């Protein structure tokens, strides 16, 4: 006698879970965008409002909003969101390297470390499999 089993869901429930790498990269990106966005507003306006400061602030906040939206899209299994998080991680590394190397601001080192973690976790195989479904 043969038993026939049917599946009510086309996906395996265990495979539908978000991997740890994707969870951590989303959390780190959200935290970094919130802290960096707040810090940019605070420290830019602390020095006084100039046209250059407002241009920097608008540009920085636009990229920060892009990173935040990309992280939220990645949380919803979007491959495009994962690509956006990779772009945001690369940009944060370049921006931090500029601040460390040119401005000699050691306070940018944690942002560089988190940017490197975001980039590495966004490119991890588990995150890729999760976002490419």
């Amino acid at each position: 006698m043969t038993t026939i089993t049917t599946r009510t869901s086309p996906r395996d429930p265990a495979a539908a879970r978000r991997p740890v790498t994707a969870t951590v990269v989303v959390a780190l990106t959200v935290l970094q965008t919130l802290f960096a966005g707040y810090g940019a507003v605070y420290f830019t306006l602390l020095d006084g409002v100039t046209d250059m400061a407002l241009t920097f602030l608008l540009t920085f906040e636009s990229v920060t909003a892009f990173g935040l939206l990309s992280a939220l899209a990645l949380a919803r299994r979007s491959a495009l969101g994962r690509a956006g998080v990779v772009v945001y991680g690369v940009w944060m590394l370049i921006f931090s390297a500029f601040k460390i190397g040119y401005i000699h601001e050691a306070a940018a080192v944690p942002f560089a470390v988190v940017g490197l973690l975001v980039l590495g976790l966004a490119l991890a195989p588990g995150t890729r499999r999760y976002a490419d479904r």
Side-chain angles (χ1 to χ4, degrees), residues 21-43:
T21 56
T23 303
V24 173
V25 74
V26 167
L28 284 176
T29 305
V30 168
L31 287 173
Q32 186 170 29
T33 58
L34 294 177
F35 279 110
Y38 171 76
V41 171
Y42 179 79
F43 290 111

Side-chain angles (χ1 to χ4, degrees), residues 2-3 7 31 33 41 54-55 57 63 65 68 70 80 106-107 114 122:
T2 332
T3 306
R7 295 176 82 182
L31 287 173
T33 58
V41 171
L54 288 177
T55 302
L57 192 58
V63 175
L68 181 62
S70 296
L80 193 57
V114 172

Side-chain angles (χ1 to χ4, degrees), residues 9-69:
S9 173
R11 290 187 183 168
D12 182 20
R17 263 185 267 139
R18 184 181 306 136
V20 174
T21 56
T23 303
V24 173
V25 74
V26 167
L28 284 176
T29 305
V30 168
L31 287 173
Q32 186 170 29
T33 58
L34 294 177
F35 279 110
Y38 171 76
V41 171
Y42 179 79
F43 290 111
T44 301
L45 297 180
L46 188 67
D47 292 338
V49 179
T50 63
D51 290 342
M52 187 63 151
L54 288 177
T55 302
F56 163 75
L57 192 58
L58 181 63
T59 305
F60 190 89
E61 293 300 330
S62 297
V63 175
T64 301
F66 171 78
L68 181 62
L69 291 175

